[in-house]
Amino acid sequence: MDTRLLRVLVELADRGTLRAVAEVTGYGTSAVSQQLATLTREVGTPLVERSGRTVRLTPAGRRLVGHARPILAAVDAARSALARGGEPGGTVQVAAYATVLSGDLIPVVRELAASHPGLQVMLQEREPPEVTRLLDEDRVDLGFVYDYDLVPRDFTGYAVRRLCETPLMLAVPAGRALPEVIDAPERLSALAGESWVVNSRGPDDDELATRVCALAAYRPMIEHRADSLDLVLDLVAAELGVALLAAVVAPRPGVRFVPMPGVPVRRRMFAITRPGREHWPAVALVIDRVAAHAATWPPPPAP
């Protein structure tokens, strides 16, 4: 069975229209229709059916897609294995959240520009749901995403590698009379009357704040939302709220960071790709370098 025909069927399952499949594969819509017809003749049963002005998969088509995905992943992995002896090169499209971009990817890309001049890494800042969408659409090769151990994400269907974990801390206004350390869950009750600042591009921060505060039997008052870490810290410094942040943030005037050894919640960092592509030499190189860099972050304090 021709894997090119299987790929067209999988793309139709993912994208929904012949035009979208044509755009991503480079074929015309008539060529896509012909390939689907050829695949139908090969398997001997209808795989697609008309639904108004578009087409949809039949039950047999959906079953074949379920078989086709691991087949295509295995083909990608085999191609990667044959190429592993070669020098990583070409272009790697990477989508990642802001913290890993500034803290890990930018230094790694600068190092790779010197050590592997034939490799180009192109970066874009995206939150985890945006990263998975871009991977599904085959618009990026590699994503770096995060979740919280109290609010886990489901990355089923991707090749996933956990890279590191970072404890969370509270960012509170420097002049506010709040605990110096949260060494037991009940000490979170001191924040019961505070406003909270959370991420504006997804619900995970809301859920995280809710679950953390539930340890002290109250619900947080979420009043402010910001995408930029700098803006989150500006809001805290202005005494407009408190926030939960990964413990890798540089000091900021007007903000005090409160460690939480009594509430061991952590942010987890992952590299994710479409199955099979984690072995591509260029992709594997970027993952390995970012993993090594993340293992050294944050740097040890100066003596």
Side-chain angles (χ1 to χ4, degrees):
M1 191 176 295
D2 191 333
T3 57
R4 291 174 297 179
L5 303 182
L6 291 178
R7 196 172 296 276
V8 167
L9 185 69
V10 169
E11 294 292 351
L12 180 62
D14 290 341
R15 302 175 191 282
T17 68
L18 297 179
R19 177 176 296 180
V21 175
E23 289 176 354
V24 74
T25 60
Y27 303 128
T29 53
S30 60
V32 170
S33 295
Q34 292 170 6
Q35 289 170 318
L36 291 171
T38 299
L39 184 60
T40 296
R41 288 194 297 272
E42 285 190 3
V43 300
T45 188
L47 300 175
V48 297
E49 60 187 4
R50 282 286 170 186
S51 177
R53 295 185 177 181
T54 186
V55 296
R56 64 185 179 189
L57 297 182
T58 64
R62 292 194 294 272
R63 289 185 63 188
L64 183 55
V65 166
H67 291 288
R69 291 190 191 277
I71 290 171
L72 295 174
V75 170
D76 283 342
R79 287 173 175 161
S80 300
L82 293 173
R84 285 183 195 179
E87 180 72 9
T91 299
V92 179
Q93 296 276 357
V94 179
Y97 60 100
T99 306
V100 71
L101 272 172
S102 59
D104 297 300
L105 273 163
I106 290 177
V108 163
V109 170
R110 293 184 65 184
E111 294 168 2
L112 290 174
S115 63
H116 293 76
L119 174 63
Q120 182 182 22
V121 182
M122 304 181 69
L123 305 175
Q124 53 181 293
E125 187 264 320
R126 300 285 184 174
E127 283 292 296
E130 299 169 309
V131 173
T132 54
R133 175 175 54 80
L134 291 171
L135 283 171
D136 292 343
E137 295 172 356
D138 205 13
R139 292 167 56 192
V140 298
D141 304 302
L142 171 61
F144 291 94
V145 296
Y146 68 89
D147 71 2
Y148 306 110
D149 55 3
L150 281 184
V151 191
R153 298 182 193 269
D154 182 7
F155 296 122
T156 302
Y158 305 96
V160 181
R161 176 176 168 184
R162 184 186 296 188
L163 301 184
C164 67
E165 295 185 354
T166 307
L168 296 188
M169 61 184 179
L170 282 164
V172 304
R176 195 69 57 85
L178 293 170
E180 296 291 330
V181 62
I182 303 296
D183 52 10
E186 55 267 22
R187 299 209 70 188
L188 288 164
S189 61
L191 287 87
E194 300 290 334
S195 300
W196 285 73
V197 186
V198 300
N199 194 309
S200 62
R201 287 167 64 181
D204 296 74
D205 276 24
D206 296 60
E207 187 64 27
L208 176 65
T210 298
R211 294 189 181 188
V212 167
C213 293
L215 298 174
Y218 70 94
R219 292 186 62 84
M221 297 189 302
I222 297 174
E223 296 187 351
H224 308 292
R225 302 178 185 276
D227 172 43
S228 162
L229 176 59
D230 285 336
L231 183 53
V232 170
L233 293 173
D234 287 343
L235 289 165
V236 174
E239 300 190 350
L240 296 177
V242 299
L244 282 166
L245 302 175
V248 293
V249 182
R252 174 68 68 91
V255 178
R256 178 164 58 85
F257 296 124
V258 179
M260 301 195 303
V263 186
V265 59
R266 307 177 74 82
R267 186 184 70 185
R268 307 182 295 187
M269 172 182 167
F270 305 88
I272 63 172
T273 67
R274 289 166 72 107
R277 298 192 182 182
E278 71 275 21
H279 301 302
W280 288 9
V283 169
L285 176 64
V286 175
I287 295 174
D288 288 343
R289 291 290 182 90
V290 170
H293 194 277
T296 64
W297 185 260

PDB file of all heavy atoms in Angstrom, residues 278-302:
ATOM      1  N   GLU A 278      10.872  12.570  16.351  1.00  0.00           N
ATOM      2  CA  GLU A 278      11.818  12.837  17.432  1.00  0.00           C
ATOM      3  C   GLU A 278      13.197  12.275  17.117  1.00  0.00           C
ATOM      4  O   GLU A 278      14.191  12.663  17.748  1.00  0.00           O
ATOM      5  CB  GLU A 278      11.299  12.261  18.748  1.00  0.00           C
ATOM      6  CG  GLU A 278      11.320  10.747  18.852  1.00  0.00           C
ATOM      7  CD  GLU A 278      10.094  10.068  18.261  1.00  0.00           C
ATOM      8  OE1 GLU A 278       9.392  10.691  17.426  1.00  0.00           O
ATOM      9  OE2 GLU A 278       9.842   8.901  18.617  1.00  0.00           O
ATOM     10  N   HIS A 279      13.297  11.376  16.118  1.00  0.00           N
ATOM     11  CA  HIS A 279      14.576  10.778  15.742  1.00  0.00           C
ATOM     12  C   HIS A 279      15.245  11.513  14.580  1.00  0.00           C
ATOM     13  O   HIS A 279      16.367  11.150  14.221  1.00  0.00           O
ATOM     14  CB  HIS A 279      14.386   9.305  15.380  1.00  0.00           C
ATOM     15  CG  HIS A 279      13.818   8.483  16.491  1.00  0.00           C
ATOM     16  ND1 HIS A 279      14.415   8.376  17.732  1.00  0.00           N
ATOM     17  CD2 HIS A 279      12.688   7.727  16.555  1.00  0.00           C
ATOM     18  CE1 HIS A 279      13.693   7.592  18.496  1.00  0.00           C
ATOM     19  NE2 HIS A 279      12.636   7.187  17.822  1.00  0.00           N
ATOM     20  N   TRP A 280      14.565  12.474  13.966  1.00  0.00           N
ATOM     21  CA  TRP A 280      15.230  13.234  12.913  1.00  0.00           C
ATOM     22  C   TRP A 280      16.493  13.857  13.503  1.00  0.00           C
ATOM     23  O   TRP A 280      16.444  14.458  14.598  1.00  0.00           O
ATOM     24  CB  TRP A 280      14.308  14.321  12.386  1.00  0.00           C
ATOM     25  CG  TRP A 280      13.169  13.813  11.544  1.00  0.00           C
ATOM     26  CD1 TRP A 280      12.797  12.522  11.351  1.00  0.00           C
ATOM     27  CD2 TRP A 280      12.249  14.614  10.803  1.00  0.00           C
ATOM     28  NE1 TRP A 280      11.705  12.459  10.539  1.00  0.00           N
ATOM     29  CE2 TRP A 280      11.339  13.724  10.183  1.00  0.00           C
ATOM     30  CE3 TRP A 280      12.102  15.980  10.602  1.00  0.00           C
ATOM     31  CZ2 TRP A 280      10.310  14.166   9.368  1.00  0.00           C
ATOM     32  CZ3 TRP A 280      11.066  16.421   9.788  1.00  0.00           C
ATOM     33  CH2 TRP A 280      10.177  15.527   9.176  1.00  0.00           C
ATOM     34  N   PRO A 281      17.622  13.752  12.825  1.00  0.00           N
ATOM     35  CA  PRO A 281      18.874  14.235  13.428  1.00  0.00           C
ATOM     36  C   PRO A 281      18.817  15.676  13.907  1.00  0.00           C
ATOM     37  O   PRO A 281      19.274  15.974  15.019  1.00  0.00           O
ATOM     38  CB  PRO A 281      19.890  14.048  12.299  1.00  0.00           C
ATOM     39  CG  PRO A 281      19.343  12.914  11.492  1.00  0.00           C
ATOM     40  CD  PRO A 281      17.852  13.080  11.527  1.00  0.00           C
ATOM     41  N   ALA A 282      18.282  16.579  13.087  1.00  0.00           N
ATOM     42  CA  ALA A 282      18.249  17.986  13.489  1.00  0.00           C
ATOM     43  C   ALA A 282      17.324  18.198  14.682  1.00  0.00           C
ATOM     44  O   ALA A 282      17.641  18.948  15.619  1.00  0.00           O
ATOM     45  CB  ALA A 282      17.817  18.862  12.319  1.00  0.00           C
ATOM     46  N   VAL A 283      16.158  17.539  14.677  1.00  0.00           N
ATOM     47  CA  VAL A 283      15.212  17.672  15.781  1.00  0.00           C
ATOM     48  C   VAL A 283      15.803  17.077  17.057  1.00  0.00           C
ATOM     49  O   VAL A 283      15.733  17.681  18.140  1.00  0.00           O
ATOM     50  CB  VAL A 283      13.871  16.997  15.427  1.00  0.00           C
ATOM     51  CG1 VAL A 283      12.976  16.901  16.654  1.00  0.00           C
ATOM     52  CG2 VAL A 283      13.156  17.770  14.318  1.00  0.00           C
ATOM     53  N   ALA A 284      16.393  15.883  16.942  1.00  0.00           N
ATOM     54  CA  ALA A 284      16.990  15.247  18.118  1.00  0.00           C
ATOM     55  C   ALA A 284      18.107  16.100  18.699  1.00  0.00           C
ATOM     56  O   ALA A 284      18.262  16.188  19.925  1.00  0.00           O
ATOM     57  CB  ALA A 284      17.523  13.867  17.739  1.00  0.00           C
ATOM     58  N   LEU A 285      18.886  16.746  17.836  1.00  0.00           N
ATOM     59  CA  LEU A 285      19.973  17.598  18.310  1.00  0.00           C
ATOM     60  C   LEU A 285      19.432  18.775  19.119  1.00  0.00           C
ATOM     61  O   LEU A 285      19.941  19.085  20.205  1.00  0.00           O
ATOM     62  CB  LEU A 285      20.794  18.107  17.123  1.00  0.00           C
ATOM     63  CG  LEU A 285      21.914  19.096  17.462  1.00  0.00           C
ATOM     64  CD1 LEU A 285      22.970  18.445  18.334  1.00  0.00           C
ATOM     65  CD2 LEU A 285      22.536  19.660  16.176  1.00  0.00           C
ATOM     66  N   VAL A 286      18.387  19.434  18.596  1.00  0.00           N
ATOM     67  CA  VAL A 286      17.822  20.577  19.322  1.00  0.00           C
ATOM     68  C   VAL A 286      17.265  20.127  20.667  1.00  0.00           C
ATOM     69  O   VAL A 286      17.479  20.779  21.697  1.00  0.00           O
ATOM     70  CB  VAL A 286      16.737  21.270  18.477  1.00  0.00           C
ATOM     71  CG1 VAL A 286      16.056  22.379  19.279  1.00  0.00           C
ATOM     72  CG2 VAL A 286      17.340  21.859  17.201  1.00  0.00           C
ATOM     73  N   ILE A 287      16.550  19.008  20.686  1.00  0.00           N
ATOM     74  CA  ILE A 287      15.991  18.507  21.950  1.00  0.00           C
ATOM     75  C   ILE A 287      17.110  18.227  22.951  1.00  0.00           C
ATOM     76  O   ILE A 287      17.034  18.629  24.121  1.00  0.00           O
ATOM     77  CB  ILE A 287      15.147  17.245  21.720  1.00  0.00           C
ATOM     78  CG1 ILE A 287      13.909  17.568  20.878  1.00  0.00           C
ATOM     79  CG2 ILE A 287      14.714  16.644  23.059  1.00  0.00           C
ATOM     80  CD1 ILE A 287      13.107  16.338  20.484  1.00  0.00           C
ATOM     81  N   ASP A 288      18.153  17.538  22.498  1.00  0.00           N
ATOM     82  CA  ASP A 288      19.252  17.192  23.408  1.00  0.00           C
ATOM     83  C   ASP A 288      19.933  18.436  23.954  1.00  0.00           C
ATOM     84  O   ASP A 288      20.254  18.504  25.159  1.00  0.00           O
ATOM     85  CB  ASP A 288      20.279  16.315  22.687  1.00  0.00           C
ATOM     86  CG  ASP A 288      19.780  14.901  22.440  1.00  0.00           C
ATOM     87  OD1 ASP A 288      18.790  14.503  23.088  1.00  0.00           O
ATOM     88  OD2 ASP A 288      20.380  14.209  21.596  1.00  0.00           O
ATOM     89  N   ARG A 289      20.151  19.427  23.122  1.00  0.00           N
ATOM     90  CA  ARG A 289      20.829  20.637  23.577  1.00  0.00           C
ATOM     91  C   ARG A 289      19.955  21.424  24.561  1.00  0.00           C
ATOM     92  O   ARG A 289      20.454  21.948  25.559  1.00  0.00           O
ATOM     93  CB  ARG A 289      21.205  21.517  22.373  1.00  0.00           C
ATOM     94  CG  ARG A 289      22.297  20.930  21.498  1.00  0.00           C
ATOM     95  CD  ARG A 289      23.655  20.927  22.195  1.00  0.00           C
ATOM     96  NE  ARG A 289      24.712  20.415  21.347  1.00  0.00           N
ATOM     97  CZ  ARG A 289      25.454  21.177  20.535  1.00  0.00           C
ATOM     98  NH1 ARG A 289      25.246  22.477  20.490  1.00  0.00           N
ATOM     99  NH2 ARG A 289      26.387  20.646  19.783  1.00  0.00           N
ATOM    100  N   VAL A 290      18.671  21.514  24.269  1.00  0.00           N
ATOM    101  CA  VAL A 290      17.773  22.221  25.186  1.00  0.00           C
ATOM    102  C   VAL A 290      17.672  21.469  26.510  1.00  0.00           C
ATOM    103  O   VAL A 290      17.675  22.085  27.584  1.00  0.00           O
ATOM    104  CB  VAL A 290      16.380  22.413  24.546  1.00  0.00           C
ATOM    105  CG1 VAL A 290      15.367  22.929  25.575  1.00  0.00           C
ATOM    106  CG2 VAL A 290      16.467  23.388  23.373  1.00  0.00           C
ATOM    107  N   ALA A 291      17.605  20.137  26.458  1.00  0.00           N
ATOM    108  CA  ALA A 291      17.550  19.348  27.685  1.00  0.00           C
ATOM    109  C   ALA A 291      18.792  19.592  28.533  1.00  0.00           C
ATOM    110  O   ALA A 291      18.707  19.750  29.760  1.00  0.00           O
ATOM    111  CB  ALA A 291      17.418  17.870  27.353  1.00  0.00           C
ATOM    112  N   ALA A 292      19.968  19.611  27.902  1.00  0.00           N
ATOM    113  CA  ALA A 292      21.210  19.851  28.641  1.00  0.00           C
ATOM    114  C   ALA A 292      21.237  21.249  29.234  1.00  0.00           C
ATOM    115  O   ALA A 292      21.669  21.449  30.379  1.00  0.00           O
ATOM    116  CB  ALA A 292      22.405  19.641  27.717  1.00  0.00           C
ATOM    117  N   HIS A 293      20.760  22.229  28.482  1.00  0.00           N
ATOM    118  CA  HIS A 293      20.748  23.604  28.994  1.00  0.00           C
ATOM    119  C   HIS A 293      19.753  23.754  30.133  1.00  0.00           C
ATOM    120  O   HIS A 293      20.047  24.410  31.146  1.00  0.00           O
ATOM    121  CB  HIS A 293      20.420  24.573  27.862  1.00  0.00           C
ATOM    122  CG  HIS A 293      20.709  26.009  28.182  1.00  0.00           C
ATOM    123  ND1 HIS A 293      19.828  26.815  28.877  1.00  0.00           N
ATOM    124  CD2 HIS A 293      21.806  26.773  27.932  1.00  0.00           C
ATOM    125  CE1 HIS A 293      20.360  28.021  29.011  1.00  0.00           C
ATOM    126  NE2 HIS A 293      21.561  28.022  28.459  1.00  0.00           N
ATOM    127  N   ALA A 294      18.577  23.143  29.992  1.00  0.00           N
ATOM    128  CA  ALA A 294      17.560  23.240  31.040  1.00  0.00           C
ATOM    129  C   ALA A 294      18.038  22.606  32.337  1.00  0.00           C
ATOM    130  O   ALA A 294      17.641  23.035  33.419  1.00  0.00           O
ATOM    131  CB  ALA A 294      16.253  22.595  30.574  1.00  0.00           C
ATOM    132  N   ALA A 295      18.893  21.582  32.229  1.00  0.00           N
ATOM    133  CA  ALA A 295      19.393  20.910  33.425  1.00  0.00           C
ATOM    134  C   ALA A 295      20.314  21.806  34.246  1.00  0.00           C
ATOM    135  O   ALA A 295      20.544  21.541  35.439  1.00  0.00           O
ATOM    136  CB  ALA A 295      20.142  19.633  33.047  1.00  0.00           C
ATOM    137  N   THR A 296      20.829  22.874  33.648  1.00  0.00           N
ATOM    138  CA  THR A 296      21.731  23.787  34.355  1.00  0.00           C
ATOM    139  C   THR A 296      21.033  25.068  34.788  1.00  0.00           C
ATOM    140  O   THR A 296      21.674  25.996  35.270  1.00  0.00           O
ATOM    141  CB  THR A 296      22.927  24.170  33.476  1.00  0.00           C
ATOM    142  OG1 THR A 296      22.468  24.914  32.328  1.00  0.00           O
ATOM    143  CG2 THR A 296      23.652  22.933  32.988  1.00  0.00           C
ATOM    144  N   TRP A 297      19.701  25.140  34.598  1.00  0.00           N
ATOM    145  CA  TRP A 297      18.954  26.365  34.887  1.00  0.00           C
ATOM    146  C   TRP A 297      18.022  26.133  36.077  1.00  0.00           C
ATOM    147  O   TRP A 297      17.366  25.097  36.113  1.00  0.00           O
ATOM    148  CB  TRP A 297      18.162  26.790  33.659  1.00  0.00           C
ATOM    149  CG  TRP A 297      17.459  28.101  33.835  1.00  0.00           C
ATOM    150  CD1 TRP A 297      16.147  28.289  34.139  1.00  0.00           C
ATOM    151  CD2 TRP A 297      18.028  29.390  33.724  1.00  0.00           C
ATOM    152  NE1 TRP A 297      15.854  29.612  34.225  1.00  0.00           N
ATOM    153  CE2 TRP A 297      17.007  30.325  33.969  1.00  0.00           C
ATOM    154  CE3 TRP A 297      19.299  29.871  33.458  1.00  0.00           C
ATOM    155  CZ2 TRP A 297      17.212  31.693  33.964  1.00  0.00           C
ATOM    156  CZ3 TRP A 297      19.517  31.237  33.444  1.00  0.00           C
ATOM    157  CH2 TRP A 297      18.462  32.118  33.692  1.00  0.00           C
ATOM    158  N   PRO A 298      17.936  27.049  37.045  1.00  0.00           N
ATOM    159  CA  PRO A 298      18.682  28.299  37.086  1.00  0.00           C
ATOM    160  C   PRO A 298      20.136  28.077  37.512  1.00  0.00           C
ATOM    161  O   PRO A 298      20.450  27.076  38.148  1.00  0.00           O
ATOM    162  CB  PRO A 298      17.934  29.110  38.169  1.00  0.00           C
ATOM    163  CG  PRO A 298      17.365  28.066  39.060  1.00  0.00           C
ATOM    164  CD  PRO A 298      17.007  26.888  38.161  1.00  0.00           C
ATOM    165  N   PRO A 299      21.028  28.992  37.141  1.00  0.00           N
ATOM    166  CA  PRO A 299      22.430  28.832  37.514  1.00  0.00           C
ATOM    167  C   PRO A 299      22.591  28.933  39.015  1.00  0.00           C
ATOM    168  O   PRO A 299      21.770  29.517  39.712  1.00  0.00           O
ATOM    169  CB  PRO A 299      23.119  29.991  36.783  1.00  0.00           C
ATOM    170  CG  PRO A 299      22.027  31.014  36.594  1.00  0.00           C
ATOM    171  CD  PRO A 299      20.772  30.224  36.393  1.00  0.00           C
ATOM    172  N   PRO A 300      23.669  28.334  39.561  1.00  0.00           N
ATOM    173  CA  PRO A 300      23.890  28.421  41.002  1.00  0.00           C
ATOM    174  C   PRO A 300      24.114  29.858  41.433  1.00  0.00           C
ATOM    175  O   PRO A 300      24.639  30.674  40.669  1.00  0.00           O
ATOM    176  CB  PRO A 300      25.147  27.569  41.210  1.00  0.00           C
ATOM    177  CG  PRO A 300      25.824  27.549  39.882  1.00  0.00           C
ATOM    178  CD  PRO A 300      24.733  27.620  38.862  1.00  0.00           C
ATOM    179  N   PRO A 301      23.682  30.242  42.652  1.00  0.00           N
ATOM    180  CA  PRO A 301      23.860  31.610  43.114  1.00  0.00           C
ATOM    181  C   PRO A 301      25.323  31.967  43.226  1.00  0.00           C
ATOM    182  O   PRO A 301      26.170  31.107  43.516  1.00  0.00           O
ATOM    183  CB  PRO A 301      23.167  31.616  44.478  1.00  0.00           C
ATOM    184  CG  PRO A 301      23.169  30.185  44.911  1.00  0.00           C
ATOM    185  CD  PRO A 301      23.069  29.368  43.665  1.00  0.00           C
ATOM    186  N   ALA A 302      25.625  33.230  42.999  1.00  0.00           N
ATOM    187  CA  ALA A 302      27.005  33.704  43.114  1.00  0.00           C
ATOM    188  C   ALA A 302      27.448  33.645  44.566  1.00  0.00           C
ATOM    189  O   ALA A 302      26.644  33.847  45.475  1.00  0.00           O
ATOM    190  CB  ALA A 302      27.113  35.132  42.585  1.00  0.00           C
TER     191      ALA A 302
END
